[in-house]
Amino acid sequence: MKKLRVRLRNWRKEYLDFSTNTYKIIWAVIFFVLVVLILSLDLIPNQVDLRSGQVSQSDITAPRTITFIDRNRTSELRQRAADAAPRVYEEDSTVEEDVLKKVNNLFKAINDKREFFYYNKITINEASTAQNSNADSEQTAVDKENNLTAAEIEKFSQEEITEIADLVRGEIDYDLSRESLAVLITLNNEKLLGIKNRALDLLETKLEGRILPSDLASAREELRQSAMEMDISRRERLALAEVTESVIAANMFLNQEATASRRQEAISEVEAVEKTVRQGEIIVRKGDVVTESDIDILERLGLQKGGINYYNITGRIIISFILVLLLGFYFYKYQKKVWQDNSKLLLIELLILIVVFFAKIMTLFQNPFVDFMVPTAMASILLTVLISSDTALITTLFISLLVAPVYDMNFNIVLTSFLAGLIGIFSVTKVKERGDIIRAGLNVSFILVFLIGGLSLLQQNQDWTYLIWSIGGGIVNGLLVGVLANGLLPYLEDLFDMTSSVKLLELSNPSQPILKRMLVEAPGTYHHSVIVGNLAETAAEDVGADSLLARAAAYYHDIGKLKRPYFFSDNQFGGENPHDKTSPNLSALIIKSHVKDGVEMAEENGLPAKIIDIIKQHHGTNLISYFYQQALQDNKHDDIEKKDFRYDGPKPQSKEAAIIMLADITEAAIRSKNFNKNNHDRIEGFVRGLVKDKLIENQLDQSNLTLSDLDTIVKSFVKVLTGIYHQRVEYPEKLLKEMKGGNNSD
């Protein structure tokens, strides 16, 4: 495995370390072509090309066993059961009361309005005004109900009758012709009462039976016939018929909920029709006429293709081109760092191709179990860990949209793909170990169970077999995502030279071989690196830099000292100093060579490029002052040059590298100084002086640190150093004896 990762790193250096836009365009074109090929692969025809009604020229056998739901037959049987389910009707006991009330109100309105009109002698508009402004006048007319004589009624002119009819029409909530109202208005009180009673009798008799909404037309016809058989004048019969027809209503109403429940119950009793085609079974025999059922089986087995659909292919090419163009524009416009890093772009393209190709393979099985196994969340998790959550989010959306044509624009697949990716992103935003990636996969499984179930309920899918298979596929999806993401992560890190938080956490583990070697061979350097790591991590977190990278890089920044540990004061424990026997020039060369040696060791051990860069930059172009001053004292000529006593650089290019430089010199200087380290102000003043010197020497110019950041770094350093060098409380002798006695008694 280690050899494979080394080969990946070498292959990356040879083929992936490109920086020009030419390579960017080449890889983009290759990516687009591969996407189109994957999406269009199923459109290329197979050898079997049959149509319903065509005679087969050969025997066609099933290459594998499949069991599937015959949806057409199942749907047909369920529809029959639903149609045969009886409807549920309920009687509305208030209908009769409402109908009779309408009749009573009609005849009361006729009496009221004609008496009101007769005694007030005003037009319709004037009557309306009088009703609003002079309620006492109307009340007087109402009190004289049934007081008009036949002679008084006969005095109404045709215009007055029409006006009275309009007043009555305004009082009722159903339509009644002016002609029928005119007939009723001109009747004397006795005849009017007779018409009213006949209408009530007819309606009561009719409403004793069941009247469904569908029976309403026939009920009206029967009422008309009964009215026309009455022993009264024709005009009165017609008016009576219209009144009863207008107010009659159905007293039985369909209970939608109960009826729907019966239909669903009938549907649920119809089991899905399963059909099994076994491997080797002859689907179509030579000379047989091919049926629609045969075509369906051939399609499920992937044997039937109807020729190349050039329109479909063109559509997929257009969709792919637009999506790729939008994705590229997004990175160019809103994520410059990703756009300028071709390795990151290539990683994104590779993960997209893997997921889409995996989705295409899943479609070959024609089974609901694999429909929801598209591992979009794998790409989401890896991109979040290796690049950023923003990049992962837009890529997840892109993948989900690309999956749509693979599954014939199935919205369920697209939605579950996108939401599974989101869960993956949210689950690894603060990953601390590889186990977190496995837990992210379990989160995906958990959410997909409810999501798939919710979609099934939303679409009222009662096919429980399909639902169980789909949920099973969702569970396996999450497990597959966790395993694939965890397994691919180290190889992608090596191939694309990226450093994840998981990798940094692993490198920070003291059990790493190079750190264990440092502890044994250069213990002083090891402990110095640990303290520098604590200083750098705290300061980086306070200024918004990558604290995990700062700590890991601090542990390895001095690994070059392993080559000659005894030449460094960290590892000289009161013994002979080898520099006493060497010239200042040689000593300076040995001291600064630990940077070059550290870079070589880091590359041999496969450390990430970010850590190697910090190893190169952690001394910047600082002057090795001690040996430079010694050279000036020993030299009798003026041929001493400062450049021979400076580190080769470069200066720190990032906040993390600059923080480690400051933490390095701070820890070394504090340790070497003999002053009261319990004095907080003394430590702070000393640290500020060290930082100020590096600022004046222009060592921090390229690190993007601001003056405010430097002030925060100083405070962070002082906080950590105060904790390290705090004065310990001396326990009283009596307390020590008591503690000792207590331990003995235990």
Side-chain angles (χ1 to χ4, degrees):
M1 183 177 292
K2 186 174 182 180
K3 291 182 179 179
L4 175 59
R5 295 175 65 175
V6 171
R7 289 177 182 175
L8 288 174
R9 284 197 295 270
N10 294 335
W11 188 84
R12 178 202 72 218
K13 292 179 180 179
E14 185 174 355
Y15 296 104
L16 299 184
D17 286 347
F18 49 83
S19 58
T20 64
N21 288 330
T22 302
Y23 286 99
K24 193 192 304 288
I25 294 173
I26 291 174
W27 283 109
V29 172
I30 294 175
F31 169 68
F32 171 71
V33 171
L34 290 175
V35 167
V36 171
L37 287 177
I38 293 173
L39 294 182
S40 305
L41 191 61
D42 62 328
L43 302 177
I44 300 175
N46 236 333
Q47 292 182 353
V48 177
D49 184 13
L50 298 175
R51 296 287 181 273
S52 178
Q54 182 178 346
V55 177
S56 176
Q57 301 300 316
S58 61
D59 290 341
I60 302 175
T61 58
R64 63 182 184 278
T65 299
I66 61 168
T67 299
F68 58 93
I69 302 298
D70 191 339
R71 291 193 177 93
N72 292 333
R73 181 59 180 164
T74 302
S75 177
E76 179 183 347
L77 292 177
R78 287 176 176 172
Q79 187 60 48
R80 288 182 183 177
D83 294 340
R87 291 178 171 83
V88 179
Y89 288 92
E90 290 184 354
E91 183 178 2
D92 189 347
S93 59
T94 64
V95 171
E96 181 175 356
E97 181 181 350
D98 292 340
V99 169
L100 299 180
K101 185 177 179 181
K102 287 181 179 181
V103 175
N104 287 322
N105 288 341
L106 168 65
F107 286 92
K108 184 178 184 303
I110 291 172
N111 277 323
D112 290 346
K113 295 307 176 184
R114 69 184 182 179
E115 291 180 11
F116 171 76
F117 194 88
Y118 178 81
Y119 289 109
N120 289 277
K121 297 296 184 180
I122 55 175
T123 60
I124 297 176
N125 291 333
E126 291 171 335
S128 178
T129 303
Q131 285 176 323
N132 294 329
S133 62
N134 192 0
D136 292 338
S137 176
E138 182 174 1
Q139 186 63 42
T140 301
V142 172
D143 291 340
K144 297 179 180 179
E145 184 177 3
N146 298 327
N147 201 32
L148 290 181
T149 64
E152 291 173 334
I153 294 173
E154 291 177 357
K155 292 180 181 180
F156 288 128
S157 66
Q158 188 60 43
E159 291 181 358
E160 290 173 337
I161 292 173
T162 301
E163 291 175 4
I164 294 172
D166 289 338
L167 283 175
V168 174
R169 282 163 63 89
E171 291 288 326
I172 59 178
D173 57 358
Y174 50 91
D175 189 28
L176 203 60
S177 68
R178 286 190 180 90
E179 290 75 9
S180 295
L181 283 172
V183 172
L184 297 175
I185 290 170
T186 58
L187 293 177
N188 59 41
N189 293 329
E190 183 181 356
K191 289 186 176 180
L192 186 63
L193 181 60
I195 296 295
K196 172 185 172 181
N197 291 334
R198 285 185 172 87
L200 293 174
D201 290 341
L202 289 174
L203 290 169
E204 285 177 349
T205 302
K206 193 63 185 173
L207 288 170
E208 287 177 357
R210 291 161 46 102
I211 304 177
L212 302 176
S214 57
D215 300 333
L216 201 53
S218 60
R220 286 174 178 152
E221 182 61 30
E222 290 173 4
L223 284 171
R224 169 171 282 275
Q225 291 178 1
S226 297
M228 297 305 292
E229 293 174 358
M230 292 288 180
D231 186 19
I232 52 180
S233 68
R234 176 176 174 75
R235 292 172 64 248
E236 293 172 358
R237 290 198 300 269
L238 290 173
L240 174 61
E242 186 175 358
V243 169
T244 55
E245 285 182 291
S246 298
V247 299
I248 190 64
N251 60 4
M252 301 296 294
F253 291 94
L254 180 67
N255 187 326
Q256 298 284 356
E257 184 176 348
T259 300
S261 177
R262 283 196 178 182
R263 289 172 62 90
Q264 289 299 325
E265 184 179 351
I267 290 174
S268 63
E269 291 176 355
V270 178
E271 295 184 358
V273 179
E274 283 192 352
K275 190 169 186 177
T276 300
V277 178
R278 304 189 180 280
Q279 183 177 3
E281 180 181 343
I282 297 178
I283 303 168
V284 181
R285 295 183 180 276
K286 181 179 179 180
D288 286 351
V289 177
V290 180
T291 64
E292 289 288 348
S293 177
D294 297 332
I295 296 295
D296 182 47
I297 296 173
L298 292 174
E299 288 178 347
R300 290 179 181 276
L301 289 168
L303 300 176
Q304 168 67 13
K305 299 293 179 181
I308 299 177
N309 189 334
Y310 293 101
Y311 291 106
N312 204 323
I313 292 177
T314 303
R316 298 187 184 207
I317 292 174
I318 293 173
I319 291 173
S320 302
F321 179 76
I322 293 174
L323 290 177
V324 171
L325 196 64
L326 289 175
L327 184 67
F329 179 78
Y330 171 81
F331 289 127
Y332 172 77
K333 187 73 174 177
Y334 300 105
Q335 292 199 31
K336 291 290 186 181
K337 290 184 179 180
V338 175
W339 177 258
Q340 293 167 359
D341 191 334
N342 289 335
S343 293
K344 291 181 179 178
L345 289 176
L346 192 56
L347 171 63
I348 294 169
E349 293 170 354
L350 177 62
L351 290 176
I352 291 172
L353 289 173
I354 290 175
V355 175
V356 176
F357 184 69
F358 199 97
K360 176 59 69 172
I361 293 177
M362 293 296 99
T363 60
L364 299 178
F365 295 95
Q366 297 289 332
N367 189 292
F369 180 74
V370 298
D371 284 350
F372 294 95
M373 283 178 56
V374 182
T376 305
M378 176 200 70
S380 306
I381 291 172
L382 290 173
L383 290 175
T384 302
V385 173
L386 293 173
I387 303 179
S388 70
S389 57
D390 292 341
T391 300
L393 178 61
I394 193 66
T395 306
T396 300
L397 177 60
F398 177 84
I399 293 174
S400 300
L401 294 176
L402 270 186
V403 167
V406 174
Y407 282 91
D408 297 325
M409 310 308 291
N410 188 326
F411 173 77
N412 290 357
I413 304 296
V414 175
L415 183 61
T416 52
S417 174
F418 180 67
L419 293 183
L422 287 185
I423 298 303
I425 294 171
F426 298 153
S427 300
V428 294
T429 49
K430 292 184 179 180
V431 62
K432 294 183 178 180
E433 56 185 23
R434 291 195 182 275
D436 290 338
I437 297 179
I438 297 296
R439 280 188 285 274
L442 295 177
N443 291 341
V444 171
S445 293
F446 180 76
I447 295 299
L448 283 181
V449 169
F450 292 96
L451 179 60
I452 295 171
L455 288 172
S456 178
L457 294 175
L458 184 65
Q459 298 172 351
Q460 298 183 353
N461 185 358
Q462 300 298 322
D463 190 345
W464 294 106
T465 303
Y466 179 84
L467 177 60
I468 292 171
W469 276 107
S470 300
I471 290 177
I475 295 173
V476 174
N477 184 335
L479 300 177
L480 188 65
V481 162
V483 172
L484 289 178
N486 210 23
L488 288 175
L489 181 59
Y491 298 101
L492 294 177
E493 287 177 326
D494 293 329
L495 179 61
F496 294 98
D497 192 22
M498 295 179 182
T499 307
S500 68
S501 55
V502 176
K503 180 70 173 179
L504 292 174
L505 285 166
E506 290 178 347
L507 292 174
S508 301
N509 193 322
S511 64
Q512 289 291 327
I514 194 167
L515 295 181
K516 292 173 67 175
R517 180 185 166 195
M518 187 188 299
L519 178 62
V520 175
E521 299 179 19
T525 300
Y526 176 83
H527 291 292
H528 160 73
S529 299
V530 170
I531 296 176
V532 170
N534 292 335
L535 292 169
E537 181 181 25
T538 304
E541 187 170 352
D542 289 344
V543 299
D546 190 337
S547 58
L548 194 56
L549 173 61
R551 184 177 72 174
Y555 286 176
Y556 293 89
H557 78 285
D558 273 345
I559 59 174
K561 293 180 180 180
L562 280 171
K563 195 166 187 179
R564 305 176 189 86
Y566 46 85
F567 273 94
F568 299 89
S569 60
D570 306 343
N571 307 302
Q572 295 170 1
F573 305 104
E576 183 180 2
N577 188 346
H579 290 291
D580 294 340
K581 298 179 181 181
T582 60
S583 65
N585 294 69
L586 181 57
S587 293
L589 182 63
I590 293 173
I591 292 298
K592 71 179 182 179
S593 67
H594 85 276
V595 175
K596 179 175 175 293
D597 295 336
V599 171
E600 292 176 354
M601 293 181 65
E603 290 177 344
E604 290 173 1
N605 285 271
L607 294 184
K610 289 182 178 180
I611 293 181
I612 294 175
D613 290 340
I614 291 177
I615 294 174
K616 290 178 183 178
Q617 301 164 16
H618 81 278
H619 279 300
T621 58
N622 284 325
L623 180 68
I624 307 175
S625 180
Y626 177 82
F627 293 111
Y628 175 68
Q629 296 297 332
Q630 191 179 57
L632 289 177
Q633 293 175 5
D634 296 345
N635 188 58
K636 298 179 181 179
H637 306 284
D638 296 332
D639 57 350
I640 301 299
E641 297 185 13
K642 269 191 176 183
K643 65 181 181 64
D644 295 332
F645 292 86
R646 287 190 179 277
Y647 285 97
D648 297 329
K651 296 178 181 180
Q653 305 293 306
S654 65
K655 288 184 177 182
E656 293 81 11
I659 290 172
I660 290 175
M661 169 190 278
L662 296 175
D664 186 25
I665 61 172
T666 297
E667 195 283 329
I670 289 288
R671 179 163 38 85
S672 64
K673 289 294 180 181
N674 292 320
F675 63 82
N676 183 10
K677 297 183 177 65
N678 294 320
N679 190 323
H680 178 276
D681 295 333
R682 185 74 182 275
I683 291 178
E684 182 173 356
F686 186 70
V687 173
R688 286 191 182 279
L690 293 174
V691 173
K692 182 179 179 181
D693 290 342
K694 295 305 164 188
L695 185 63
I696 294 173
E697 293 171 10
N698 300 322
Q699 292 296 320
L700 308 176
D701 290 354
Q702 302 171 18
S703 65
N704 294 325
L705 286 175
T706 64
L707 292 176
S708 176
D709 290 338
L710 293 176
D711 182 65
T712 302
I713 290 170
V714 169
K715 292 178 181 177
S716 299
F717 285 176
V718 172
K719 180 174 63 176
V720 175
L721 292 171
T722 302
I724 294 174
Y725 295 109
H726 73 281
Q727 184 176 5
R728 298 185 180 275
V729 177
E730 184 176 355
Y731 292 103
E733 184 176 352
K734 182 179 179 181
L735 180 60
L736 289 174
K737 289 181 179 180
E738 291 177 359
M739 293 173 63
K740 184 176 180 181
N743 291 337
N744 290 338
S745 64
D746 292 340

